[in-house]
């Protein structure tokens, strides 16, 4: 049996498992769609460190770059292809022969190589980008997929701006590229325009109207221009897609891509959806820090899952609840995403329970009287500054000791 045939059989068995087990493949494009953002550029060494981490995290596909775009990117894809042990390594191309040839060359050492080729399919792209027609775009798409198949078994086709593409035409082009051998169909909401219902309905429409769709994986690739990338990707998998394309911290063009940590945790926290990923969620927080630091791209404090405030409680009412039982205000365990514990942040909105809790953590066991006196001093400090830190509590306790002559243990 030749190698290509063995690879084909393995691929089909894997596809069967994905559809049976309701496994959602996580396709990480931090190093391609994420890295193309101004200011996020990485060198090959930095990319290798992230690629290794993504492999450890358990992503199924790593989109390592766009090999034809520069010699540096070619080199990065090629080096990543050599070191990644478990994930499929993917290279992006346009529907252009030379792009595909160069990508195949860059991927030649990958254990599981994938070429990701495609073309714009919305009327706006066809008219303004290509000055072409729907028929000619289908022809280019089919040629690109067939040519890619001459190098690798696993070929993903993207219909750029599928979010704004007429569904009947989208179904037609999908059917043609499946005939040409595409193994994965990427349906990008390139401009982040779709509503979740609309994006989900698009996936459903393709599942119901494209011949051969049961033999391929449908993929969600959503941008966040209206803040709906996560919701759209989830709507996509609920309606039959089995791959989500995403980036760590949601970095990417303009308002970014779907955030990997968000979709993974949505699926984990809603087990009745019966959709699973292979991500080791305990590595999410550290991976977020690694990407944030190497790309120099800060994460907003209120960012879901990995923001500094994602597990921090600052209002008195919430703090009181969390101290009594974490589940009153937390829908996931911080340890599940690699955050050691929830934080009780002391501000002028905090109550006695929070002060007593924090003081105890740093060694002061307060009686009710001591707490009343300390709380007044605490509010004085809190009104003057944004946050009261442990050092401030030590100072408050010393002051209270002096004034009240109450020995605080
Ligand atoms: O957003 C998009 O359409 C893309 C494609 C190139 C896959 O990133
Ligand atoms: Zn994109």
């Amino acid at each position: 049996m030749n190698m290509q045939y063995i690879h084909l059989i393995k691929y089909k068995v894997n596809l069967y498992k994905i559809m049976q087990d309701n496994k959602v493949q996580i396709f990480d494009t931090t190093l391609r769609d994420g890295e193309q953002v101004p200011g996020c550029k990485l060198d090959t060494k930095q990319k290798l460190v992230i690629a290794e981490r993504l492999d450890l995290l358990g992503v199924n596909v790593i989109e390592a770059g766009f090999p034809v775009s520069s010699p540096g990117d070619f080199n990065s894809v090629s080096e990543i292809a050599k070191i990644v042990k478990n994930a499929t390594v993917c290279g992006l191309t346009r529907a252009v022969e030379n792009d595909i040839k160069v990508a195949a060359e860059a991927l030649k050492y990958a254990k599981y190589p994938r070429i990701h080729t495609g073309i714009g399919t919305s009327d706006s792209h066809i008219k303004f980008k290509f000055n072409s027609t729907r028929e000619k775009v289908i022809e280019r798409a089919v040629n690109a997929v067939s040519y890619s198949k001459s190098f690798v078994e696993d070929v993903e086709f993207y219909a750029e701006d599928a979010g704004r593409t007429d569904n009947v035409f989208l179904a037609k082009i999908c059917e043609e590229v499946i005939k040409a051998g595409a193994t994965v169909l990427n349906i990008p909401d390139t401009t982040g325009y779709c509503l979740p219902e609309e994006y989900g309905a698009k996936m459903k429409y393709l599942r119901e109207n494209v011949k051969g769709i049961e033999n391929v994986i449908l993929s969600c690739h959503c941008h966040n221009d209206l803040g709906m990338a996560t919701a759209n990707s989830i709507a996509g998998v609920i309606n039959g897609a089995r791959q989500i394309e995403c980036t760590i911290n949601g970095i990417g063009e303009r308002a970014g891509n779907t955030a990997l940590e968000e979709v993974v945790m949505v699926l984990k926290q809603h087990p009745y959806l019966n959709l699973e990923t292979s991500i080791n969620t305990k590595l999410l927080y550290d991976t977020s820090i690694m990407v944030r630091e190497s790309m120099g791209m800060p994460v907003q404090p209120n960012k879901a899952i990995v923001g500094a405030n994602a597990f921090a409680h600052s209002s008195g009412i919430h703090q009181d609840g969390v101290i009594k039982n974490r589940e009153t205000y937390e829908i996931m365990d911080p340890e599940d995403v690699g955050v050691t514990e929830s934080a009780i942040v002391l501000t002028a909105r905090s109550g006695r329970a929070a002060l007593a809790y924090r003081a105890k953590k740093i060694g002061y066991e307060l009686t009710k009287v001591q707490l009343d006196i300390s709380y007044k001093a605490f509010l004085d400090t809190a009104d003057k500054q944004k946050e009261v830190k442990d050092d401030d509590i030590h100072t408050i306790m010393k002051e209270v000791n002096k004034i009240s002559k109450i020995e605080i243990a």
Side-chain angles (χ1 to χ4, degrees):
M1 245 193 274
N2 73 27
M3 282 311 288
Q4 207 163 345
Y5 189 63
I6 294 172
H7 198 146
L8 175 65
I9 307 245
K10 271 196 190 153
Y11 178 77
K12 294 269 179 206
V13 170
N14 193 28
L15 177 67
Y16 179 77
K17 275 200 202 138
I18 291 164
M19 300 316 284
Q20 292 297 307
D21 302 347
N22 283 349
K23 288 262 181 333
V24 173
Q25 305 288 291
I26 295 296
F27 174 117
D28 181 278
T29 183
T30 304
L31 297 176
R32 199 279 296 170
D33 224 342
E35 199 255 3
Q36 68 196 43
V37 172
C40 284
K41 172 124 190 38
L42 301 177
D43 60 29
T44 301
K45 227 166 121 195
Q46 292 170 309
K47 284 190 189 174
L48 284 169
V49 174
I50 292 183
E52 265 187 323
R53 163 50 72 117
L54 292 171
D55 206 21
L56 191 68
L57 182 66
V59 309
N60 306 93
V61 185
I62 297 172
E63 187 162 53
F66 182 11
V68 84
S69 64
S70 73
D73 216 34
F74 177 93
N75 186 43
S76 298
V77 175
S78 174
E79 294 304 313
I80 290 170
K82 287 179 196 160
I83 59 137
V84 169
K85 293 193 180 80
N86 307 305
T88 293
V89 179
C90 175
L92 185 80
T93 83
R94 294 165 297 181
V96 169
E97 278 206 357
N98 188 49
D99 284 27
I100 296 166
K101 197 160 72 176
V102 171
E105 179 63 23
L107 292 167
K108 76 176 173 202
Y109 297 111
K111 204 163 162 196
Y112 309 107
R114 176 182 294 179
I115 291 178
H116 189 191
T117 190
I119 190 163
T121 53
S122 65
D123 288 336
S124 149
H125 279 220
I126 294 173
K127 182 163 179 234
F128 300 118
K129 270 176 70 176
F130 310 123
N131 188 22
S132 188
T133 62
R134 286 183 171 187
E135 291 66 35
K136 284 191 185 136
V137 162
I138 291 185
E139 199 181 312
R140 276 187 65 182
V142 167
N143 288 342
V145 171
S146 305
Y147 189 55
S148 302
K149 286 296 269 198
S150 69
F151 298 102
V152 293
E153 172 52 34
D154 193 3
V155 176
E156 174 167 340
F157 173 75
Y158 65 85
E160 196 183 6
D161 204 15
R164 295 188 301 171
T165 299
D166 161 46
N167 282 351
V168 177
F169 175 61
L170 189 59
K172 172 97 188 107
I173 197 163
C174 286
E175 206 163 295
E176 294 306 319
V177 295
I178 290 175
K179 279 193 228 151
T183 48
V184 181
L185 295 183
N186 178 9
I187 310 300
D189 183 21
T190 306
T191 55
Y193 182 69
C194 284
L195 292 168
E197 234 181 26
E198 188 185 359
Y199 191 70
K202 201 173 266 291
M203 290 296 183
K204 188 163 186 280
Y205 180 85
L206 295 175
R207 286 196 63 76
E208 289 171 356
N209 292 281
V210 174
K211 249 190 249 132
I213 198 89
E214 65 285 357
N215 299 320
V216 300
I217 298 170
L218 269 174
S219 182
C220 310
H221 179 116
C222 298
H223 280 266
N224 205 31
D225 299 66
L226 291 171
M228 291 190 290
T230 295
N232 284 346
S233 300
I234 297 299
V237 292
I238 287 173
N239 284 282
R242 282 294 174 274
Q243 178 174 278
I244 297 178
E245 308 197 1
C246 44
T247 59
I248 301 294
N249 300 337
I251 58 164
E253 285 277 343
R254 308 181 306 280
N257 286 63
T258 303
L260 182 149
E261 60 280 4
E262 292 178 14
V263 284
V264 165
M265 290 313 290
V266 169
L267 297 182
K268 188 173 164 74
Q269 297 310 109
H270 290 270
Y272 60 89
L273 290 176
N274 196 24
L275 294 167
E276 288 171 10
T277 73
S278 54
I279 298 298
N280 177 356
T281 62
K282 291 198 190 306
L283 296 179
L284 285 173
Y285 187 56
D286 273 2
T287 309
S288 160
I289 294 173
M290 176 189 272
V291 168
R292 180 184 84 195
E293 287 181 353
S294 64
M295 289 193 163
M297 179 60 109
V299 170
Q300 72 199 61
N302 59 327
K303 165 82 182 60
I305 321 290
V306 293
N309 293 347
F311 297 97
H313 305 275
S314 50
S315 93
I317 296 172
H318 290 209
Q319 290 176 334
D320 183 49
V322 170
I323 290 166
K324 287 173 177 149
N325 185 324
R326 193 185 56 71
E327 286 180 18
T328 52
Y329 287 96
E330 280 183 358
I331 52 107
M332 62 193 132
D333 187 340
E335 285 187 11
D336 278 353
V337 302
V339 173
T340 31
E341 59 175 353
S342 322
I344 298 290
V345 181
L346 294 180
T347 70
R349 304 291 152 263
S350 300
R352 284 174 170 71
L355 176 61
Y357 171 84
R358 194 70 232 152
K360 190 172 174 192
K361 283 237 162 205
I362 58 170
Y364 302 98
E365 190 84 56
L366 303 178
T367 64
K368 182 165 179 327
V369 177
Q370 288 166 335
L371 180 58
D372 283 345
I373 299 170
S374 323
Y375 187 63
K376 275 197 196 114
F378 162 77
L379 282 184
D380 277 351
T381 310
D383 269 337
K384 287 188 207 115
Q385 54 197 59
K386 284 189 178 155
E387 196 184 323
V388 178
K389 305 272 196 192
D390 289 352
D391 278 354
D392 300 313
I393 298 181
H394 286 303
T395 311
I396 290 168
M397 294 306 156
K398 268 191 212 135
E399 285 305 305
V400 171
N401 258 343
K402 259 196 248 154
I403 301 164
S404 65
K405 304 268 183 292
I406 296 173
E407 201 52 50
I408 299 176

